[in-house]
Amino acid sequence: MKTQKVNPIYYIIVGAMTVCFFLFHTIPFIQGIFYSFTDWKGYGNWEWVGLRNYLQLFKDPDVINAYKFTFTFALITTVLVNLLSLVLACALNANIYCAGFLKAAYFLPYMLGNLMIGFIFNYIFANIIPPIGQMLGIEMLSVNILGTDKAMWGIIFVTVWASSAFNTLVYTAGLKAINTDIYEAAAIDGATGFRRFWLITFPLLATSFTINMVLSIKGFLMVYDQIMAMTNGGPGMTTTSIAVLIYKRGLSGGQFAYQSANAVILFIVVATISLLQLRFLEKREAKLND
Amino acid sequence: MSKKLVLSLVVSLSSMLVGCGGSSSNNNTLELFSSKAENVAILESIVSEFNAQNPEYTIKVVAPADHATVLKTRMAKNDMPDILAMGGDSYFTEVQSAGMLVDLSNEAYIITLHESYLDMVYNRNENKEEIVYGVPYATNASGVIYNKDLFEQAGVDVPNTWNEFINVIETLDSKGIEPFVFTYKDSWTILPPWNSMAPVIQPANFMDDRLQDKTTFVGTHEQVLENIITLMDYAQPDFMGMSYDDGNKAFAMGEGAMIINGNWAINQVIAANPDINLGMFAFPTSNNAIENKLTSGVDVLFAVVKGNSEKEEVAKKFVEFATTPEIATKYINDQFAFSAIKGVEQTNPMVSDASADIMAGNVENFPDHYYPNGLDLSAVLSGFAMNYSSGMDNEANILATLADLDAKYDAVNIK
């Protein structure tokens, strides 16, 4: 192997990014861990309290409820998003009329911010859906769903709509990479329709599937923007996700250190789940690629 | 999370830097720190009048976006502004308990202030001592805002007791007028009825007893929630899904006869319909009309920060200037607020009933101002309203809600 001289511009760019990342991401992160062992309120004096914040977390019903909500939400949303975007990607990959336009249309939500989408749907749920529900005589749709105990489903609907765009894109790219010869061979062997999808297409999408699953569940466990825009955690505490709880209690509720501990736990949970998923799904990939 | 943290750090850091640059360099320049972005314009106009009369000094108004954080940071750095214009809330207690404020008890204008508001500020002192560290200036009021035309159409008058209130509601309902517009999608709007009823219904020493764990919400506040349920029985359809903004518009368009909220909502209602003929009355909690009080708190108070004596004198002079009836009137007219100064009356006909209660000193502070910082009462009450609308048994709902409130109170009271 020959060692090639690397253009220093690469080092400069990577170096600058590293410094920025370290300054604006790593340092605050380490500070957060540090303060989670204190009783700091966000200002003034503080003292070491050891693991007290962490022990209190497991006894706090609000925290436990937030975890319950977040996990239910993340599981349901991940499954729905991946199902929907897989179907969409397969449909868009077929030789359908104006596929280009449809691809652009389905990708549109990705270009809007989650906060923006939240505000738009806030309006739709409050002012557009209830009259339609009343007209059709469907009781569940004739009130603003975000004000009921089913508010979670409103948020799931919006999140699925918004998140499918990116996942569809990844699946479409995966489908494009599959060699058409394989399909021809499969057709000769008599595999068509769902059988072809299940035995040929889906296994060959393994890499895309891994990426989408890991990114989805990571993103949905940290759900924040949509909830702030649509329900602000309510009614009651029914849609308070962990991130929303950390923000509300930590900054305005004067529990900065306590909620920092909550944030550290959330980080550990998300990191562990992502790593487990990666290991499991990569093993599956390896098996399928053999 | 960490991204937001950085952002807030950067924002507060930069505002600190701005703060440093502006102050303390010059002995003739004083800084007036306002915690309310809404009153900056009127404060600046008052200050410029003062500056014109006292050309040797200059007062500058600052009102940073995240005022609480900025003030706390400056407290920690011992770089305090010279004059504070802030709410009568827990932040005031923090500054006062740090011993940073000048005793203004002997100023001439103190006798011109309403005792009820002075008491509220005394109550905010750490040891509740009767020393004036904060001069109550502008006040707000919460009660029932009603549509006078709809009341006339139904032939009902302003109620003074709970039974009269129920009568009014039933009459409106029978005439096909929606009695209320509730906006419980924004959970804080469930607080006003609680805030108005709790001080009347709860036992006399409840606040102190609860703090010392001698009593609970269970056993003392059932009536408050029962009354809220009675009101919700007359709520418009989908009241849980109506937001504050939409509700104010609906009320302005005559889609309901009453909203239970404060004077701060009036501006938005008028903006939606300038021709609306509205009024405001104290929430009639009790059947004994004398017991019913207008819920009113100190929205803005002035405090002078200890520093060099020359600056203190100028700051005192400014507070004296601001509390003259002429300037105080100018302030409340601009802000649509009420004044803590005797004889300074909010004459706008829309709030004349409420104004009369204030002039008579017939007011009670917001009880949630006395609950520990971090107790999220609105979330608890929003859960209560959700349970109601999804058909939970009322008795069970009341008990569960109060037990939940006690548990949350204890959780924040320990820390």
Side-chain angles (χ1 to χ4, degrees):
Chain A
M1 227 171 40
K2 262 193 282 181
T3 46
Q4 226 172 353
K5 197 170 182 311
V6 181
N7 191 331
I9 190 78
Y10 292 116
Y11 286 113
I12 294 170
I13 293 171
V14 170
M17 271 315 290
T18 312
V19 170
C20 284
F21 187 81
F22 188 75
L23 261 182
F24 295 116
H25 194 277
T26 315
I27 289 183
F29 176 68
I30 293 169
Q31 272 179 329
I33 297 178
F34 173 82
Y35 282 123
S36 72
F37 295 104
T38 69
D39 64 356
W40 200 48
K41 285 193 218 134
Y43 61 90
N45 302 324
W46 50 267
E47 273 170 42
W48 290 105
V49 294
L51 286 173
R52 195 184 75 185
N53 288 334
Y54 288 89
L55 296 177
Q56 178 66 28
L57 276 179
F58 294 99
K59 290 186 281 184
D60 189 334
D62 287 345
V63 173
I64 293 165
N65 280 334
Y67 271 87
K68 271 190 205 152
F69 165 76
T70 310
F71 271 86
T72 320
F73 171 85
L75 278 176
I76 297 173
T77 315
T78 304
V79 170
L80 290 181
V81 163
N82 282 287
L83 264 179
L84 182 71
S85 43
L86 205 52
V87 171
L88 273 180
C90 288
L92 289 173
N93 199 44
N95 273 329
I96 52 167
Y97 190 59
C98 47
F101 170 76
L102 285 174
K103 268 182 204 165
Y106 285 119
F107 191 65
L108 202 65
Y110 188 69
M111 295 193 280
L112 300 169
N114 271 334
L115 210 53
M116 219 51 230
I117 291 172
F119 284 129
I120 293 169
F121 272 92
N122 210 355
Y123 183 82
I124 292 176
F125 280 129
N127 300 310
I128 295 179
I129 292 181
I132 296 174
Q134 280 155 18
M135 217 163 62
L136 300 175
I138 305 168
E139 204 183 317
M140 206 188 122
L141 291 181
S142 56
V143 295
N144 183 349
I145 193 175
L146 299 178
T148 67
D149 50 4
K150 313 234 170 13
M152 180 176 85
W153 292 99
I155 297 172
I156 288 178
F157 176 82
V158 174
T159 312
V160 169
W161 180 78
S163 309
S164 292
F166 179 74
N167 287 27
T168 307
L169 187 76
V170 174
Y171 282 131
T172 321
L175 286 173
K176 281 269 178 289
I178 298 175
N179 197 331
T180 41
D181 295 353
I182 300 175
Y183 286 127
E184 278 163 26
I188 293 167
D189 287 343
T192 51
F194 185 72
R195 222 174 122 75
R196 189 182 74 171
F197 171 80
W198 188 245
L199 293 173
I200 312 282
T201 314
F202 190 58
L204 287 170
L205 275 177
T207 326
S208 313
F209 185 69
T210 309
I211 296 170
N212 274 341
M213 286 305 274
V214 175
L215 287 184
S216 296
I217 203 128
K218 177 205 143 272
F220 299 144
L221 282 175
M222 290 156 73
V223 59
Y224 174 80
D225 310 34
Q226 303 96 304
I227 295 181
M228 288 309 278
M230 289 167 71
T231 63
N232 198 19
M237 305 270 292
T238 45
T239 59
T240 302
S241 72
I242 308 166
V244 170
L245 187 77
I246 291 171
Y247 173 77
K248 284 173 84 173
R249 293 286 165 79
L251 293 183
S252 54
Q255 300 180 339
F256 190 90
Y258 179 58
Q259 295 300 342
S260 293
N262 198 355
V264 172
I265 296 279
L266 176 63
F267 166 75
I268 293 171
V269 167
V270 172
T272 314
I273 290 177
S274 300
L275 284 177
L276 284 178
Q277 257 187 326
L278 268 179
R279 274 189 62 168
F280 175 77
L281 292 169
E282 271 173 353
K283 253 188 209 158
R284 173 174 167 274
E285 268 176 46
K287 214 157 80 186
L288 290 170
N289 289 339
D290 280 345
Chain B
M1 177 65 202
S2 33
K3 265 186 217 151
K4 288 193 184 69
L5 214 139
V6 171
L7 200 75
S8 59
L9 272 174
V10 169
V11 169
S12 54
L13 254 165
S14 49
S15 45
M16 266 160 54
L17 289 175
V18 171
C20 293
S23 75
S24 69
S25 53
N26 187 335
N27 236 355
N28 298 330
T29 309
L30 281 82
E31 200 184 346
L32 168 60
F33 181 99
S34 170
S35 64
K36 234 174 125 80
E38 296 91 337
N39 68 4
V40 174
I42 182 71
L43 280 181
E44 270 170 355
S45 113
I46 294 175
V47 159
S48 69
E49 233 176 282
F50 179 81
N51 288 342
Q53 288 179 22
N54 302 275
E56 64 273 35
Y57 299 104
T58 318
I59 298 182
K60 275 190 200 160
V61 182
V62 290
D66 196 357
H67 63 93
T69 317
V70 175
L71 190 63
K72 282 169 183 173
T73 335
R74 293 188 58 174
M75 267 174 78
K77 281 175 58 204
N78 211 1
D79 169 40
M80 284 293 277
D82 305 287
I83 310 167
L84 301 174
M86 63 192 305
D89 48 28
S90 56
Y91 301 118
F92 171 74
T93 311
E94 276 174 40
V95 187
Q96 186 272 332
S97 64
M100 288 177 165
L101 301 179
V102 175
D103 179 357
L104 299 170
S105 307
N106 296 323
E107 298 298 309
Y109 51 79
I110 297 297
I111 49 159
T112 70
L113 303 172
H114 283 293
E115 313 263 294
S116 42
Y117 292 118
L118 272 176
D119 284 341
M120 283 177 204
V121 182
Y122 293 151
N123 244 316
R124 272 285 158 212
N125 288 345
E126 196 189 18
N127 302 316
K128 308 205 186 313
E129 63 271 39
E130 299 204 345
I131 296 174
V132 183
Y133 291 109
V135 177
Y137 189 60
T139 66
N140 53 20
S142 179
V144 182
I145 300 170
Y146 70 105
N147 184 326
K148 284 181 177 167
D149 294 340
L150 288 180
F151 265 46
E152 204 170 302
Q153 198 183 316
V156 290
D157 292 323
V158 168
N160 294 312
T161 64
W162 177 256
N163 284 348
E164 284 177 28
F165 192 31
I166 297 298
N167 261 332
V168 166
I169 297 168
E170 277 171 357
T171 314
L172 286 166
D173 197 44
S174 67
K175 298 259 165 83
I177 298 168
E178 198 70 68
F180 292 107
V181 180
F182 288 132
T183 56
Y184 291 176
K185 168 105 197 308
D186 286 306
S187 57
W188 68 266
T189 64
I190 317 178
L191 292 175
W194 172 282
N195 279 335
S196 290
M197 285 191 277
V200 179
I201 288 170
Q202 74 201 8
N205 268 326
F206 179 80
M207 293 297 180
D208 290 333
D209 287 351
R210 186 65 192 83
L211 211 57
Q212 291 158 30
D213 228 0
K214 285 190 215 151
T215 183
T216 54
F217 284 100
V218 176
T220 54
H221 281 67
E222 278 78 1
Q223 188 66 47
V224 180
L225 293 185
E226 276 166 30
N227 288 357
I228 294 180
I229 284 181
T230 311
L231 299 180
M232 285 196 290
D233 286 339
Y234 294 97
Q236 83 275 20
D238 200 16
F239 66 99
M240 287 297 293
M242 175 83 84
S243 72
Y244 174 69
D245 293 346
D246 288 345
N248 282 345
K249 272 178 218 138
F251 174 72
M253 295 309 165
E255 286 171 33
M258 294 180 271
I259 50 176
I260 302 176
N261 219 313
N263 63 321
W264 50 84
I266 293 177
N267 264 333
Q268 202 178 21
V269 172
I270 293 175
N273 178 10
D275 300 325
I276 190 170
N277 186 9
L278 57 78
M280 184 174 182
F281 59 87
F283 192 99
T285 311
S286 165
N287 273 325
N288 183 1
I290 303 165
E291 284 179 17
N292 293 324
K293 300 210 150 121
L294 186 74
T295 312
S296 174
V298 177
D299 195 34
V300 176
L301 59 76
F302 282 119
V304 174
V305 179
K306 282 183 186 163
N308 72 48
S309 52
E310 195 188 341
K311 277 190 173 185
E312 272 180 29
E313 283 313 311
V314 182
K316 280 182 183 174
K317 207 171 161 187
F318 172 77
V319 178
E320 194 179 345
F321 174 75
T323 49
T324 53
E326 184 201 338
I327 302 293
T329 309
K330 194 173 153 190
Y331 181 93
I332 59 164
N333 285 344
D334 179 83
Q335 290 287 298
F336 213 85
F338 303 95
S339 184
I341 295 145
K342 285 181 199 160
V344 178
E345 191 178 1
Q346 176 57 266
T347 50
N348 192 311
M350 281 185 256
V351 287
S352 52
D353 295 337
S355 188
D357 278 321
I358 289 182
M359 298 299 285
N362 191 23
V363 294
E364 185 80 62
N365 199 356
F366 293 80
D368 65 339
H369 286 192
Y370 298 113
Y371 300 152
N373 212 351
L375 177 69
D376 196 352
L377 178 63
S378 60
V380 177
L381 291 180
S382 149
F384 169 74
M386 181 193 71
N387 290 341
Y388 167 85
S389 71
S390 48
M392 184 172 170
D393 175 61
N394 286 342
E395 287 295 310
N397 188 10
I398 289 173
L399 195 67
T401 304
L402 292 178
D404 184 29
L405 185 56
D406 275 317
K408 292 206 163 108
Y409 187 104
D410 290 338
V412 288
N413 201 18
I414 291 167
K415 286 206 190 76

